[in-house]
Amino acid sequence: MTQKERREYLITELLKEKSDYADVAIPADERGQRDLLRALMNLREPLPISDEFLKIQDEYLQQVNKERGITDIADLRAAKHNPKLCLWQGDITTLKVDAIVNAANSAMLGCFSPLHSCIDNCIHTFAGILLRLSCNELMQKQGHEEGTGLCKITPAFNLPSRYVLHTVGPIIYTSVSPREKLLLASCYKSCLAAAAEKRLESVAFCCISTGVFRFPPDLAARIAVETVEKWLSENPDSSVRKVVFNVFGDKDFEIYSEILDS
């Protein structure tokens, strides 16, 4: 099958799942089809799906992710004052590393807002629908929402990374309290501990809680770097050998550059 044939098959199968979609027409253009497929994946509840769908979805997403470009952690420059740390600006879903960190919400099922630009949405989009199913299985076994500062690990499915570490950061409503600083630090420690338990060597962190959760970026970056450096120094025998601080925007790049290259 061509990519167009795969995309149209996936859209058609997803549209069949709900009677509400009966009047939805498949766009003729590639951009419209890509957006519709992503939106349908974003909206889909964690329900079983056929092996045939998953096979074609995987073929499609692996080609999409290849076309988007993949950056290998081995090619990243180490920070000046700590060779175990790296700063990288780009899309974390294109990074080849043992584990990437997802800034999740307490439901741990990904973002259900169609085409939303948050990291949770992007990770679930390019990993495929098995990621939501895997998260749902974990949450059903747990029986309650995920607590702030904790971590769950899942396979990364179609992403170039091997695993995804899902953590819920603190939400800031007014000013940052000491408790919220501790909870943010706990996100980093929990993810590193989970990676070490799996004997992973590399972890890429996003800027946890600094988006819609409103944690001040400067303070969050200082907590992130200090917490990671302390954990690495206190766990010298850990399998974790490299930690990437992934940023997307220029402002966050400037913040982390000042900390890591000072």
Side-chain angles (χ1 to χ4, degrees):
M1 296 176 75
T2 66
Q3 279 294 82
K4 182 175 185 294
E5 290 170 336
R6 293 185 183 110
R7 185 168 55 246
E8 291 180 346
Y9 167 85
L10 296 172
I11 292 171
T12 300
E13 292 301 303
L14 292 174
L15 289 175
K16 287 179 183 177
E17 291 187 328
K18 297 187 70 172
S19 59
D20 293 350
Y21 298 155
D23 295 329
V24 176
I26 300 177
D29 64 294
E30 180 178 343
R31 176 61 183 272
Q33 289 184 1
R34 282 177 176 262
D35 286 350
L36 176 56
L37 177 57
R38 178 171 179 172
L40 291 169
M41 291 172 67
N42 295 158
L43 288 166
R44 189 179 190 274
E45 297 292 333
L47 301 171
I49 193 88
S50 72
D51 290 340
E52 179 67 11
F53 181 96
L54 293 174
K55 175 180 178 293
I56 294 173
Q57 175 210 244
D58 291 352
E59 291 171 351
Y60 175 76
L61 286 177
Q62 286 165 22
Q63 181 61 30
V64 166
N65 288 333
K66 182 179 179 181
E67 291 170 356
R68 294 169 66 233
I70 295 172
T71 299
D72 196 312
I73 187 176
D75 298 328
L76 302 185
R77 180 178 65 88
K80 288 182 179 179
H81 79 283
N82 190 332
K84 290 187 175 182
L85 307 182
C86 297
L87 172 61
W88 181 67
Q89 184 176 19
D91 184 341
I92 200 170
T93 64
T94 66
L95 187 59
K96 186 178 181 180
V97 63
D98 284 343
I100 61 171
V101 174
N102 178 27
N105 58 52
S106 59
M108 296 288 283
L109 296 180
C111 172
F112 283 84
S113 298
L115 309 181
H116 195 252
S117 61
C118 71
I119 189 171
D120 202 11
N121 187 296
C122 292
I123 286 175
H124 278 263
T125 293
F126 295 108
I129 63 174
L130 275 183
L131 182 55
R132 179 167 285 167
L133 290 171
S134 181
C135 288
N136 184 60
E137 183 178 353
L138 291 175
M139 298 309 291
Q140 289 297 315
K141 288 180 180 177
Q142 178 165 287
H144 57 82
E145 290 191 336
E146 184 75 346
T148 304
L150 305 179
C151 172
K152 291 280 189 295
I153 186 169
T154 66
F157 298 102
N158 291 295
L159 297 174
S161 57
R162 294 171 56 201
Y163 294 93
V164 178
L165 298 162
H166 308 262
T167 190
V168 182
I171 301 173
I172 306 303
Y173 294 100
T174 53
S175 58
V176 181
S177 69
R179 179 176 180 274
E180 287 155 343
K181 293 178 185 178
L182 290 174
L183 286 171
L184 182 61
S186 180
C187 289
Y188 288 89
K189 290 186 285 188
S190 296
C191 288
L192 290 168
E197 186 175 352
K198 277 284 188 181
R199 304 298 300 167
L200 306 184
E201 295 185 0
S202 55
V203 177
F205 283 100
C206 60
C207 300
I208 302 167
S209 278
T210 60
V212 296
F213 283 13
R214 299 180 295 275
F215 207 107
D218 296 74
L219 178 57
R222 290 198 299 273
I223 291 171
V225 175
E226 290 171 4
T227 302
V228 169
E229 288 196 307
K230 183 178 180 182
W231 190 93
L232 291 172
S233 67
E234 292 176 346
N235 296 273
D237 298 326
S238 161
S239 60
V240 181
R241 294 287 177 263
K242 187 75 71 174
V243 173
V244 180
F245 293 103
N246 164 247
V247 299
F248 195 75
D250 292 340
K251 181 59 178 176
D252 286 323
F253 184 80
E254 292 174 8
I255 292 170
Y256 273 93
S257 293
E258 184 175 346
I259 297 171
L260 294 172
D261 289 338
S262 58

